[in-house]
Amino acid sequence: MAVTTRYSAGTARGGRDAGAPQRHLDIVLLVSVLCLTAIGLLMIYSSTRSQQAAAGLDPQNFLKRQATFAAIGLVVMVVVMFIDYRAMRDVAPVIWVVIVVALLAVLTPLGSAARGAHAWFQVGPLDFQPSEAAKVGLIIVLAAYLSVHRGRLEGPQVLTALALAAVPMGLIAMQPDMGTNMVFVAMLMGLLLVAGARPRHIGALTAVGLVGVVAVFQLGMLQEYQLDRLTAFLDPAGDPQRSAYNLRQSQIAIAAGGLTGKGVFQGTQTNLSFVPEQHTDFIFTAVGEELGFLGAATLLALFGLVMWRTWRAACLAKDDFGTLLCVGVLAVLLFQIFENIGMTMGITPIAGIPLPFVSYGGSSLLAMFAAIGLVLNVHMRRFT
């Protein structure tokens, strides 16, 4: 409190405004994110160059595309940082409408399908997935609503928050994209908990969720490949050539790395493309094989730094809206990291969720940079 009082007065030191937001940039968080992105670029190049060269294509194709998205993501992050986050609360209703319209549009002929989901807009040579942007947008929407009622949440407020999340989740289910909806559930529950939802509300929402899961199975709403993923999780020793193939190959790649790994570009599982989707959802297997336990531990340590600094920003935030913004980002990061790494080791179902800042994918990378921009924004303005 003493620190807040000192800087809130805008004390000038050496002719400079000590309370200016740009003087309170969280360098640790920024550097951690940049290191994760650099590791991602290296692993994407390692896991795609051989396959691209064998096909007579530019071995650096995926590397160049991801580097381009990273550069754009940095610009997005800086823009988000320098727009006072409190101004975003006023436009939260507009953001919710934009989310819904975008998710509706992608289900029409304006959208395109890939890998069993109608979830992308094709913009020239690039694909854009609106559900990734919706993650950041819904964090702002829910934080804006719950910050007004924090500590006084009753049934109607919990139901309203549920409705705000349920509409985009319903549209995403129609794509279908089970993994993104799992992220939304984690985000909603995290925000409700910190906003002060009572245990009976959380229990009721959990019961509704379980009923919904049963209904999805009973109504046959899952695609065959989604059922295969769940089958592989429940029976990892099942059909090794079909449902359990991804899991089996990813476990082999991680185990082959040992303590120090086989070396960058030296992974046999990685170079021979035994692990499907290795540059996207299964990128952690390339880290495990080529950098070994020490490399994987370094990656986890960087993620630990990002989550610690995000939680710290939530605790230091000047108002409830800032706290909930950071909590929403933290919930998304925590769930995606746990689910992605867990599915490569067989402790969570395979759900098609990217590893933040590391997996290949422009939409995911831009969304994650925007989310970190929100956290940096709150941290920078904790004295103003």
Side-chain angles (χ1 to χ4, degrees), residues 39 41 45 50 58 74 76 98 126 133 135 145 158 178 200 206 251 265 271 273 277 313 342 376:
I39 293 174
L41 289 170
Y45 179 52
S50 298
D58 181 2
L74 284 171
V76 170
V98 171
L126 304 177
K135 290 177 186 174
Y145 177 75
V158 173
M178 178 178 63
R200 67 172 184 271
T206 303
Q251 290 174 327
F265 309 140
N271 287 325
S273 303
E277 306 295 339
L376 292 171

Side-chain angles (χ1 to χ4, degrees), residues 261-322:
K262 294 181 176 178
V264 178
F265 309 140
Q266 303 303 314
T268 51
Q269 292 288 111
T270 297
N271 287 325
L272 296 176
S273 303
F274 282 121
V275 183
E277 306 295 339
Q278 191 168 28
H279 61 299
T280 56
D281 300 341
F282 284 84
I283 193 72
F284 185 72
T285 64
V287 177
E289 183 182 26
E290 298 197 339
L291 304 182
F293 173 79
L294 294 179
T298 301
L299 188 76
L300 292 176
L302 288 170
F303 277 129
L305 278 176
V306 171
M307 288 188 284
W308 166 47
R309 301 304 286 192
T310 301
W311 176 249
R312 180 175 178 272
C315 295
L316 295 175
K318 192 175 181 64
D319 53 29
D320 288 339
F321 181 50

Side-chain angles (χ1 to χ4, degrees), residues 166-184:
V167 175
M169 288 176 66
L171 295 171
I172 290 172
M174 294 170 67
Q175 293 180 359
D177 185 349
M178 178 178 63
T180 299
N181 267 345
M182 291 168 65
V183 177
F184 277 41

Side-chain angles (χ1 to χ4, degrees), residues 252-265:
I252 291 173
I254 293 172
L259 179 63
T260 58
K262 294 181 176 178
V264 178
F265 309 140

Side-chain angles (χ1 to χ4, degrees), residues 70-359:
I72 297 172
L74 284 171
V75 173
V76 170
M77 183 181 71
V78 171
V79 170
V80 173
M81 280 168 50
F82 283 97
I83 298 174
D84 191 325
Y85 71 90
R86 287 159 290 206
M88 300 179 191
R89 181 168 44 199
D90 299 332
V91 296
V94 177
I95 293 174
W96 188 84
V97 171
V98 171
I99 290 171
V100 172
V101 170
L103 292 175
L104 272 172
V106 83
L107 295 173
T108 70
L110 293 173
S112 61
R115 299 190 292 277
H118 206 274
W120 285 267
F121 289 120
Q122 186 81 37
V123 183
L126 304 177
D127 294 325
F128 175 70
Q129 192 173 6
S131 60
E132 290 292 337
K135 290 177 186 174
V136 182
L138 196 58
I139 288 173
I140 297 172
V141 171
L142 290 174
Y145 177 75
L146 292 172
S147 64
V148 177
H149 304 283
R150 190 181 183 196
R152 298 178 286 107
L153 281 184
E154 297 295 342
Q157 288 78 39
V158 173
L159 288 175
T160 301
L162 178 62
L164 288 172
V167 175
M169 288 176 66
L171 295 171
I172 290 172
M174 294 170 67
Q175 293 180 359
D177 185 349
M178 178 178 63
T180 299
N181 267 345
M182 291 168 65
V183 177
F184 277 41
V185 169
M187 176 209 308
L188 176 63
M189 297 297 272
L191 286 169
L192 284 174
L193 281 171
V194 175
R198 301 176 190 277
R200 67 172 184 271
H201 296 144
I202 300 298
L205 289 177
T206 303
V208 170
L210 291 175
V211 171
V213 170
V214 172
V216 165
F217 278 97
Q218 293 296 323
L219 297 175
M221 296 175 65
L222 294 179
Q223 301 286 328
E224 184 177 358
Y225 74 92
Q226 292 173 315
L227 289 172
D228 284 346
R229 289 171 170 179
L230 293 175
T231 302
F233 172 66
L234 297 173
D235 182 19
D239 185 355
Q241 300 302 321
R242 185 168 171 266
S243 59
Y245 179 80
N246 287 23
L247 175 59
R248 180 63 177 157
Q249 293 301 322
S250 66
Q251 290 174 327
I252 291 173
I254 293 172
L259 179 63
T260 58
K262 294 181 176 178
V264 178
F265 309 140
Q266 303 303 314
T268 51
Q269 292 288 111
T270 297
N271 287 325
L272 296 176
S273 303
F274 282 121
V275 183
E277 306 295 339
Q278 191 168 28
H279 61 299
T280 56
D281 300 341
F282 284 84
I283 193 72
F284 185 72
T285 64
V287 177
E289 183 182 26
E290 298 197 339
L291 304 182
F293 173 79
L294 294 179
T298 301
L299 188 76
L300 292 176
L302 288 170
F303 277 129
L305 278 176
V306 171
M307 288 188 284
W308 166 47
R309 301 304 286 192
T310 301
W311 176 249
R312 180 175 178 272
C315 295
L316 295 175
K318 192 175 181 64
D319 53 29
D320 288 339
F321 181 50
T323 296
L324 292 172
L325 281 177
C326 296
V327 167
V329 173
L330 180 63
V332 169
L333 287 170
L334 184 61
F335 182 81
Q336 288 201 194
I337 294 166
F338 176 74
E339 164 59 28
N340 180 280
I341 295 178
M343 75 183 189
T344 65
M345 296 187 291
I347 61 175
T348 59
I350 297 174
I353 294 176
L355 189 60
F357 302 105
V358 183
S359 290

Side-chain angles (χ1 to χ4, degrees), residues 28-43:
V28 174
L29 176 58
L30 181 60
V31 171
S32 300
V33 166
L34 294 178
C35 288
L36 286 168
T37 305
I39 293 174
L41 289 170
L42 181 64
M43 290 297 100

